[in-house]
Amino acid sequence: MTESEALSWPSVADLLGHHPYADVVLIGAGLNERSLTPGRCDLGPKALRAVLPRFSTYDVETGQTLDLRVHDAGDVPLKAVTPADGFAPVRDAVAIQESRALTILIGGNNAITRPGVHGIGLARAGLLTLDAHFDLRDTDQGLTNGNPVQALLEDGLDGARISQIGLAPFANTRRAHDKAKAVGISVRTARECREQGAAVVVAQELARLAALCEVIYVDFDIDVIDRSQWPTSPGARPGGISVHDFFDATRVIGAHPKVKAVDLTEYDPSLEIGDLGALTAGRWLCELLAGFQGR
Ligand SMILES: [Mn+2]
């Protein structure tokens, strides 16, 4: 029997719940301390969950219906916790989900990426970032949201197993770029995404990493999106990648069999304009799940 759609529809929120044997798990990781621009990224997990009832499970463009289950593992307690102190709890929250095909970590600032990568196993992992920034600042003043990639290099992650996509002009230093090149990071700029399509660039880099690594971790620092379409991160700038490109790239990432864990970082709901940010973050989850279901 078909249920009436007079007042409601099957929504993406209905996919989340207590599903211990689901292939996909969602974990809130609202780490907010030591952001270079102080904000409220701790509000990200709650804002994302709250918007999901507004998304139908049906994709009119592909005819696909999302019918998978997502285990909601709740939030890692990270209130007033620094990146250094949050390292073990976030790493362990990811590691304990080893049996899942895909772990989705909802930040929180970009400092969650380092423990996220450790959670799937540093020695076997590659890292792909969609980010306007290198996040290669020095660590001598401590861990921040500006140095997770630098910290991972210092932990022993081989630079050749890192791809960074969406780098923005006049938002990074020559020193960071030189550092990236010196350690063998594959650097792909926002212009390359615009001219070739971010999904194409992402597919190339996933193929490159897949040849080198057992599993891939993807950091979606959502400030990679053009600021006119994503004002909801302190670091977003005009000239970033389009939201269409971001969604297309997300679906490609969700579909890749070696992508074991992803994070969404730098979503700061206190910068919200209307509900633009929430609806963009919600669509990101839809695209990720649609890609995954196609594996
Ligand atoms: Mn970042």
Side-chain angles (χ1 to χ4, degrees):
M1 193 177 73
T2 305
E3 285 181 52
S4 170
E5 290 190 337
L7 296 174
S8 67
W9 59 18
S11 87
V12 172
D14 301 330
L15 307 179
L16 266 70
H18 183 71
H19 303 297
Y21 301 107
D23 290 333
V24 183
V25 61
L26 183 143
I27 306 168
L31 186 74
N32 192 53
E33 295 298 312
R34 304 291 191 272
S35 291
L36 296 172
T37 304
R40 292 300 306 274
C41 288
D42 55 311
L43 301 175
K46 188 178 179 188
L48 176 72
R49 288 189 183 96
V51 81
L52 297 181
R54 296 176 65 184
F55 290 90
S56 167
T57 55
Y58 179 63
D59 177 1
V60 71
E61 293 181 341
T62 63
Q64 183 180 6
T65 298
L66 296 177
D67 60 4
L68 72 178
R69 293 287 173 268
V70 178
H71 177 58
D72 189 342
D75 293 347
V76 182
L78 294 166
K79 190 173 171 60
V81 171
T82 63
D85 290 339
F87 176 78
V90 175
R91 176 198 61 198
D92 295 348
V94 172
I96 204 171
Q97 304 294 340
E98 165 62 26
S99 64
R100 316 273 179 186
L102 180 65
T103 294
I104 303 171
L105 207 50
I106 306 298
N109 71 25
N110 214 151
I112 67 171
T113 299
R114 177 182 173 234
V117 173
H118 279 266
I120 64 167
L122 185 72
R124 64 182 188 135
L127 170 66
L128 185 147
T129 69
L130 273 168
D131 193 331
H133 310 99
F134 285 109
D135 292 348
L136 286 169
R137 288 172 187 251
D138 295 323
T139 57
D140 55 346
Q141 303 292 314
L143 297 173
T144 69
N145 67 337
N147 58 24
V149 179
Q150 176 63 30
L152 283 163
L153 289 170
E154 292 171 11
D155 293 337
L157 181 61
D158 180 357
R161 288 197 271 124
I162 302 174
S163 292
Q164 299 200 265
I165 300 173
L167 282 303
F170 308 108
N172 294 281
T173 63
R174 174 183 296 279
R175 186 163 177 269
H177 193 187
D178 287 346
K179 205 188 268 185
K181 287 188 282 194
V183 299
I185 294 174
S186 181
V187 176
R188 311 294 297 268
T189 64
R191 176 179 291 274
E192 289 180 83
C193 293
R194 187 164 74 249
E195 293 182 349
Q196 301 174 37
V200 171
V201 174
V202 160
Q204 291 167 352
E205 293 301 323
L206 286 173
R208 191 187 73 80
L209 292 172
L212 301 173
C213 320
E214 280 178 56
V215 288
I216 299 170
Y217 185 99
V218 179
D219 161 36
F220 291 88
D221 179 335
I222 199 164
D223 74 17
V224 75
I225 301 176
D226 187 272
R227 193 174 184 94
S228 69
Q229 297 181 307
W230 177 265
T232 329
S233 288
R237 300 277 183 96
I241 77 171
S242 77
V243 77
H244 305 100
D245 257 5
F246 182 75
F247 292 150
D248 288 350
T250 300
R251 193 173 294 218
V252 168
I253 287 163
H256 196 283
K258 285 200 172 179
V259 172
K260 178 77 173 165
V262 305
D263 66 38
L264 180 76
T265 62
E266 300 295 321
Y267 169 28
D268 178 350
S270 75
L271 301 175
E272 183 66 290
I273 295 175
D275 40 22
L276 176 58
L279 288 168
T280 304
R283 171 74 180 269
W284 165 83
L285 183 65
C286 295
E287 295 293 335
L288 190 66
L289 296 177
F292 178 82
Q293 192 171 289
R295 282 190 191 183

